[in-house]
Amino acid sequence: MQKTCALLISATILYLPSNLYPVMYTDLLGANSGSNIIDGVVALWNMNSHFVALVILIASIFIPILKILMLVFLVYNLKKTKEDRQGNRLVFIYRLVEYIGKWSMIDVFVVIIMSSVVRIGGLITINPGFAIVAFCAVVILTLISAEQFDSRMIWDRRGNCEQH
């Protein structure tokens, strides 16, 4: 439980720079500009790429914070003694956290593909920024945190509730 909490705290701390600092830098004819995740979503939306903008918004902003909140909810509720129905909800939330974890890397793949593909004859180059490293760390830390979370504790807690 302590490892899970330490990893969650680390992921929460890194979540802020991953969304505030530039994820990538675009050098267009010598003019260098950085853009964070929200800037990218807005630019994609303005280019009428609504589906891609929504996918990146959900995968890069909402899923990581939702995952962190759900893991905090699991850790918090394991400390409380409640009825059996709560145990079923905790199991569902834990399985949901495991399922959505892999979808958080979509943003990273977009930056990697764009920085390797978009190199148009010295006119435009795209390079990854610090925030993509922080974002990768958030995703990896939440994945490890979910792995470190011992789901057997939910079942042990359910057994203790049934005995009372």
Side-chain angles (χ1 to χ4, degrees):
M1 189 66 74
Q2 292 156 338
K3 288 180 186 178
T4 300
C5 290
L7 292 164
L8 277 174
I9 291 169
S10 301
T12 304
I13 291 169
L14 287 170
Y15 182 77
L16 288 174
S18 74
N19 286 297
L20 297 176
Y21 289 103
V23 175
M24 63 183 180
Y25 291 96
T26 306
D27 187 2
L28 178 63
L29 298 172
N32 195 354
S33 65
S35 60
N36 60 21
I37 294 171
I38 296 295
D39 293 338
V41 168
V42 170
L44 286 167
W45 190 269
N46 290 336
M47 291 188 295
N48 291 327
S49 296
H50 302 288
F51 178 74
V52 177
L54 286 174
V55 167
I56 290 178
L57 178 69
I58 291 168
S60 303
I61 303 293
F62 295 129
I63 286 179
I65 197 69
L66 181 67
K67 195 170 168 190
I68 289 169
L69 291 173
M70 286 192 298
L71 283 167
V72 167
F73 180 80
L74 286 171
V75 168
Y76 174 75
N77 279 295
L78 277 181
K79 301 216 179 256
K80 295 168 47 175
T81 306
K82 287 206 171 186
E83 58 199 36
D84 189 36
R85 282 182 283 141
Q86 181 73 11
N88 289 335
R89 186 179 310 150
L90 295 179
V91 170
F92 173 76
I93 290 172
Y94 177 72
R95 289 187 179 147
L96 187 62
V97 165
E98 283 187 323
Y99 178 75
I100 65 173
K102 55 189 143 220
W103 297 103
S104 300
M105 291 297 273
I106 290 174
D107 194 48
V108 176
F109 295 134
V110 169
V111 171
I112 290 169
I113 290 169
M114 288 182 71
S115 50
S116 63
V117 171
V118 179
R119 304 238 181 226
I120 303 173
L123 297 176
I124 185 171
T125 57
I126 296 176
N127 295 307
F130 166 74
I132 202 68
V133 175
F135 185 78
C136 281
V138 169
V139 172
I140 291 168
L141 287 170
T142 56
L143 284 170
I144 296 170
S145 178
E147 283 294 317
Q148 290 295 316
F149 181 82
D150 190 3
S151 62
R152 293 176 298 177
M153 292 177 72
I154 297 171
W155 299 109
D156 291 346
R157 189 177 141 297
R158 288 180 70 187
N160 291 339
C161 289
E162 290 170 359
Q163 292 173 0
H164 292 295

